[in-house]
Amino acid sequence: MALTLPPGLTPPEVAFLCEMELVTVIPRQRLEGLDLLGGPIPPLQPPYRAPLPLWLALLLKRQRRANILPPPWLSVPSLTQILSLEQESPIFSPPLPLPLNSTTSPPFVPTATADASSQGLPYHWLELGEMLLDAAADDVPDGDSVRRLMRDLREVRMAKMRDGVKVLEGGREVRVVGVGGMEVAEGRAFIGGVVDGLRKIGASKELSRKEREAEERENGLGGADDDEDDDMEM
């Protein structure tokens, strides 16, 4: 018996895709290069920085063979500025801009390396930040404050998503520019349920309207027949 899967990506699937994001590491010992499906990994030699997929960087961190440099946006000044923008504006803060003439999208663009911009949040900001804070908290300066700011950001942005759903009742669209991958996955069930409910309400209203129009047409035709009968009798 085949299992019915929900539409779209689930949160674990989004987290799996996030592990392909490139991050910057500083190796603590010499390591040979690797040939991976995503491309070859050059040999690592301390103290030179190197970009690695997140899953490999986390593995080396757990083995104490490398340290991870957090991206610039995962810092207290950057998150504080972004949180202020989120609280002052009804829309989401603009995401990190993609490179010019880029034909790729996250997680295949360097939005989490040490050279990334600090003026916005990348597509996988939530899950990537949580993974780094869980596995490499000692590499994130002032990790407790960063964790608190990320929690506040998540609450503010989820409140915006819930407020955006109310707009659907008026038949308007919801602006989701800047919403992250994990936020979409977590809010899909709630938003989908609201949309289905509005669709059922709309279908019920349309059915009632058609029945009312049909009843009015029947009454109109009946009145015309009565007038014709009266004219024949005269």
Side-chain angles (χ1 to χ4, degrees):
M1 180 178 177
L3 298 177
T4 57
L5 299 177
L9 296 175
T10 63
E13 292 170 338
V14 173
F16 175 78
L17 292 177
C18 172
E19 291 183 355
M20 291 188 286
E21 286 270 7
L22 291 177
V23 296
T24 303
V25 301
I26 300 179
R28 302 176 66 177
Q29 63 183 68
R30 295 175 59 91
L31 298 171
E32 296 182 357
L34 296 173
D35 291 328
L36 303 177
L37 293 177
I41 301 297
L44 304 181
Q45 182 177 359
Y48 299 104
R49 300 180 179 184
L52 294 180
L54 178 61
W55 66 267
L56 181 57
L58 294 177
L59 176 62
L60 296 179
K61 174 63 180 179
R62 294 188 181 98
Q63 296 176 350
R64 300 182 179 180
R65 304 170 76 180
N67 291 331
I68 301 176
L69 288 178
W73 53 265
L74 192 65
S75 62
V76 172
S78 178
L79 293 177
T80 301
Q81 181 182 5
I82 297 173
L83 179 60
S84 298
L85 292 175
E86 294 283 357
Q87 293 173 336
E88 296 172 358
S89 174
I91 63 176
F92 293 94
S93 59
L96 287 179
L98 296 178
L100 295 177
N101 302 323
S102 175
T103 58
T104 59
S105 61
F108 305 107
V109 291
T111 58
T113 60
D115 299 327
S117 174
S118 62
Q119 301 304 313
L121 297 175
Y123 185 67
H124 289 292
W125 73 274
L126 179 57
E127 55 272 32
L128 192 146
E130 289 181 347
M131 290 182 189
L132 291 181
L133 289 172
D134 289 341
D138 56 325
D139 290 337
V140 181
D142 201 355
D144 292 337
S145 298
V146 169
R147 194 186 303 273
R148 184 181 66 255
L149 287 169
M150 287 193 60
R151 183 177 63 250
D152 294 342
L153 263 175
R154 184 177 187 179
E155 293 176 355
V156 171
R157 290 166 67 89
M158 287 303 295
K160 287 185 179 182
M161 291 189 67
R162 290 191 294 268
D163 292 340
V165 172
K166 299 177 183 177
V167 178
L168 294 174
E169 299 179 359
R172 293 179 293 174
E173 61 183 8
V174 180
R175 183 177 175 85
V176 293
V177 176
V179 179
M182 186 61 71
E183 294 170 305
V184 173
E186 292 178 345
R188 178 178 285 110
F190 170 71
I191 296 176
V194 173
V195 172
D196 289 341
L198 293 175
R199 187 181 295 113
K200 293 178 181 179
I201 293 174
S204 177
K205 290 182 178 179
E206 181 67 15
L207 180 60
S208 299
R209 185 184 63 82
K210 291 182 178 180
E211 292 177 349
R212 183 174 63 255
E213 291 179 352
E215 184 178 354
E216 291 175 354
R217 285 196 299 268
E218 291 177 359
N219 294 335
L221 291 176
D225 292 339
D226 293 340
D227 294 338
E228 292 177 2
D229 292 343
D230 294 338
D231 293 337
M232 291 178 64
E233 290 177 0
M234 293 177 61

